[in-house]
Every structure is written in structure tokens, then in C-alpha cells.
Amino acid sequence: MTDLLPVGFEDTPKNSPILIAGPCSAETEEQVLSTARELSSYGVKLFRAGIWKPRTKPGGFEGVGSEGLQWLRKVKDETGMKVATEVANKHHVEEALDAGIDLIWIGARTSANPFAMQEIADTLAERNSDVHVLVKNPVNPDLELWIGAIQRLYNAGIRHLGAIHRGFSTYGKHLYRNLPQWHIPIELRRRLPQLPIICDPSHIGGRRELVAPISQQAYDMGFDGLIIESHCDPDCAWSDKAQQITPEVLNFVVNSLVTRDQHYTTENLTLLRQQIDQVDNELLEILNKRMRVCREIGQYKKEHGMTVLQTGRYDDIMQSRVKLATEMGMSADFMRTVLSSIHEESVRQQLEIFNRR
């Protein structure tokens, strides 16, 4: 994929971050138009609203459906804003295109379904549409599935493509509604460097007070824009009210963000990067030395009838090393991930020794 076009519009200045804003759901015509008018007054050019809302369980508000497309049409006619909504199947795509929707996005549940993605890609190809398409990351942290969804659209001839990072579902209590796992969109950027990536701080955070810090982090990491849920009366929203902010607050958040110059010379970083390269080589040498010791331990276990896994020992290592790492200023989660990967490789190498005859 070398000729992907940016998800920019004529109203978005070149090299400026893209901002897409609007309510989670289109609820009433009055709510849609009121929110759009206020956002437009603050200079927002791309208006979003969910028309069909996939819900985890039946019985909740699942969107107003096709009627809401006409409200988005009124937004275009009255404010001149471009409009965007989510689609999940052939029927949605056809109705959105007929209504003149400028940008469609594909949600996390749909992007995880290759059959649905192929249906959407085929429909867009049949209509020979040049609509802009954004693909949200799948619910689970599966980069290949995310890339596969994008490839299906690309193979169908769609070139106005981009990705939305909305975080990944998890269990238990966490700071975020969906864990950002920033390394995954970073790897997506490495694999597809020309693909624009938009951050969705509303869904990552799940709480309106997290929208600003997550947005700033996305800007600091070089994301191409933001898609933020904004409602004229968030506390009365019919869906996801906790993560929506008013247009006034959105304007404050956006104007408070610090954008970085990504084109600034990096000559002054050369020596520091050389040090990084040297340290990385040293790390590899140390890891290789550790694995040699692990293989010797594996041979000893095999000769003395011991099992490969010694959970007590692993637990002790995990606790002591994580404690030491946090004292050095590293995060506990980071160190657990590192130790887990090292342990997994150690077990794999010891199993190879056990399987030798």
C-alpha cells in the first residue's frame, strides 16, 4: 500500500491535524443541528454522529436509523460541514452514500469480521465511490486483523483510507475504558507509513476528563488527527454520556493542545541515537547470555527428571524484578511484559532440549 491518500478535505489546511467531532449518537433533529451549529461556530469542519449503533446487548438504544441521515444532510446544507457516520453492512453503505455522507467509519466490532469487511469493500467498489473511509482497530489487540480490514478496502480500489485508534477491550478495572496499547498503532504506522491515523480519545478514556490528556498524548506521538464525541447536552445523552464533552469544552481542549513540529531537524539526536544503538546491541548480548544459562538449566532439569516450569521460582523473579524496576523509574506493567516475554522464550528453548533424543 504505497499510494494511500490522506483523509484530508479542502477545508483542512495542509499538514494540520484533522478534527472530527459530534455526538456519539444522532438522537433528535434538534440535538443534531444544535450541536452542529455550535461546533461550526468554533471552526469544526467535520461533523460525526452515529446513526446505527451496535450495542453489546439488545434492548438499549441502537440508533435512530435511516431517518438520522436526513438530519446529517441538513447539517451539510445549513453549516457547510462535511458529515460522517458509522457503517456495518452493505445496507448501511448504500444508504449513507445515497444521503451524501462524506466520510464513513467502520467500527471495532465490524473491523474484526472479515466477511463484513469484504461486503463493505465490495459495495463501495460496486458504487465506484470515492468516499473517505476510516477503519477502527478491532476490539481485540490484533494488528494483523486491523491491517487485513484495511487491505480489503484497498484491494477494492478505495484510496481515501485512514485508521482510527480507539483502544482495545479488556477485563477488570482500569484507568481507561479501552486500553490504548500505543505500541500497536505505532507498529501500524511503521508498517503503513502513509496511512493517516486518527485517535479516538473518547472511547479510549471513557470519561470526559481523560479526553484532553489522551488527545495531547496522541498529538505528541504524531497522530494525524482526533475524532472526539461532543454533545450539546452530554449529561442527557442517550449513549456514552460519560465520555462526551460540550462544543465549548471541545474548543478549549483543542486550543490548549500543543502541536509538535514533526519536520524539525534531528541532527542533534544523532549521537543520542548512536548510544541507543549501542545499548540495544548490549541488551541483545545480555539476553543471549541469559538464554545460554537457561539452556544449561534445561539440560540439568532433563537429566534429573524435573519439569520445565517452576512456578514458584518464576513468581519470585517477577515480584523482585518488578519491584526493582519501579524503583528505577520504570512502569510495573512494562517490566511484567518484558519478563513474561523472556520467560516464554526461556521455556521454549528448554522444551527444545527436552524434545531432543
Side-chain angles (χ1 to χ4, degrees), residues 278-342:
Q278 181 179 347
V279 172
D280 283 347
N281 289 334
E282 293 172 358
L283 277 174
L284 288 173
E285 289 293 336
I286 291 173
L287 284 172
N288 185 45
K289 182 178 180 180
R290 191 185 194 283
M291 291 304 161
R292 285 201 301 269
V293 175
C294 286
R295 288 193 292 272
E296 291 179 12
I297 292 174
Q299 185 63 41
Y300 182 90
K301 289 177 180 177
K302 179 179 180 181
E303 292 173 355
H304 292 79
M306 300 170 65
T307 60
V308 169
L309 291 176
Q310 303 287 322
T311 56
R313 165 68 176 165
Y314 176 61
D315 290 341
D316 290 341
I317 290 176
M318 183 68 77
Q319 292 178 13
S320 62
R321 305 306 193 267
V322 168
K323 182 176 183 296
L324 184 59
T326 56
E327 291 172 355
M328 294 178 175
M330 289 176 275
S331 78
D333 286 343
F334 164 73
M335 185 49 56
R336 290 190 190 97
T337 300
V338 170
L339 291 173
S340 178
S341 296
I342 291 174

Side-chain angles (χ1 to χ4, degrees), residues 60-90:
F61 174 62
E62 296 186 330
V64 296
S66 304
E67 180 183 7
L69 293 172
Q70 301 312 310
W71 306 341
L72 293 182
R73 186 76 197 187
K74 289 185 178 181
V75 168
K76 287 188 65 172
D77 294 341
E78 181 178 322
T79 69
M81 301 170 81
K82 303 292 185 181
V83 292
T85 197
E86 179 178 345
V87 299
N89 57 43
K90 176 184 179 72

Side-chain angles (χ1 to χ4, degrees), residues 82-351:
K82 303 292 185 181
V83 292
T85 197
E86 179 178 345
V87 299
N89 57 43
K90 176 184 179 72
H91 171 70
H92 293 168
V93 172
E94 291 177 337
E95 289 209 51
L97 295 180
D98 290 341
I101 298 298
D102 301 288
L103 181 151
I104 59 176
W105 78 82
I106 298 165
R109 294 176 176 86
T110 308
S111 65
N113 184 338
F115 295 106
M117 285 304 310
Q118 192 61 54
E119 178 182 284
I120 291 171
D122 292 342
T123 303
L124 289 170
E126 291 167 4
R127 295 289 294 263
N128 194 28
S129 173
D130 62 352
V131 68
H132 290 65
V133 184
L134 301 178
V135 182
K136 286 194 172 186
N137 60 259
V139 175
N140 295 320
D142 188 335
L143 177 61
E144 299 306 323
L145 198 57
W146 196 2
I147 292 177
I150 295 167
Q151 286 177 329
R152 290 179 187 276
L153 294 166
Y154 183 85
N155 291 343
I158 309 304
R159 293 296 181 268
H160 295 288
L161 282 170
I164 298 177
H165 173 48
R166 48 80 77 190
F168 302 91
S169 297
T170 186
Y171 295 101
K173 293 183 178 181
H174 298 275
L175 172 63
Y176 302 106
R177 175 181 179 182
N178 295 295
L179 294 179
Q181 300 203 38
W182 297 105
H183 64 283
I184 294 179
I186 288 173
E187 177 62 13
L188 178 66
R189 170 60 52 84
R190 189 189 71 80
R191 299 267 290 273
L192 302 176
Q194 291 183 290
L195 182 75
I197 306 179
I198 310 297
C199 182
D200 182 349
S202 303
H203 277 90
I204 290 176
R207 293 182 286 132
R208 58 180 64 112
E209 62 267 25
L210 293 177
V211 169
I214 294 172
S215 297
Q216 184 62 64
Q217 188 165 359
Y219 269 30
D220 291 344
M221 296 175 68
F223 277 64
D224 299 285
L226 303 168
I227 180 169
I228 298 177
E229 292 187 350
S230 180
H231 192 293
C232 58
D233 189 3
D235 290 332
C236 294
W238 296 1
S239 60
D240 289 345
K241 64 182 180 180
Q243 66 192 40
Q244 300 192 64
I245 58 178
T246 65
E248 181 181 10
V249 171
L250 172 71
N251 184 58
F252 175 80
V253 168
V254 171
N255 287 325
S256 299
L257 294 174
V258 178
T259 56
R260 314 295 181 185
D261 185 356
Q262 299 182 43
H263 305 288
Y264 190 82
T265 179
T266 58
E267 291 180 3
N268 294 334
L269 294 176
T270 300
L271 292 177
L272 292 174
R273 286 174 171 169
Q274 288 175 353
Q275 291 182 42
I276 288 289
D277 291 341
Q278 181 179 347
V279 172
D280 283 347
N281 289 334
E282 293 172 358
L283 277 174
L284 288 173
E285 289 293 336
I286 291 173
L287 284 172
N288 185 45
K289 182 178 180 180
R290 191 185 194 283
M291 291 304 161
R292 285 201 301 269
V293 175
C294 286
R295 288 193 292 272
E296 291 179 12
I297 292 174
Q299 185 63 41
Y300 182 90
K301 289 177 180 177
K302 179 179 180 181
E303 292 173 355
H304 292 79
M306 300 170 65
T307 60
V308 169
L309 291 176
Q310 303 287 322
T311 56
R313 165 68 176 165
Y314 176 61
D315 290 341
D316 290 341
I317 290 176
M318 183 68 77
Q319 292 178 13
S320 62
R321 305 306 193 267
V322 168
K323 182 176 183 296
L324 184 59
T326 56
E327 291 172 355
M328 294 178 175
M330 289 176 275
S331 78
D333 286 343
F334 164 73
M335 185 49 56
R336 290 190 190 97
T337 300
V338 170
L339 291 173
S340 178
S341 296
I342 291 174
H343 181 255
E344 182 178 340
E345 177 62 16
S346 300
V347 170
R348 186 192 68 78
Q349 294 205 18
Q350 289 188 15
L351 285 174

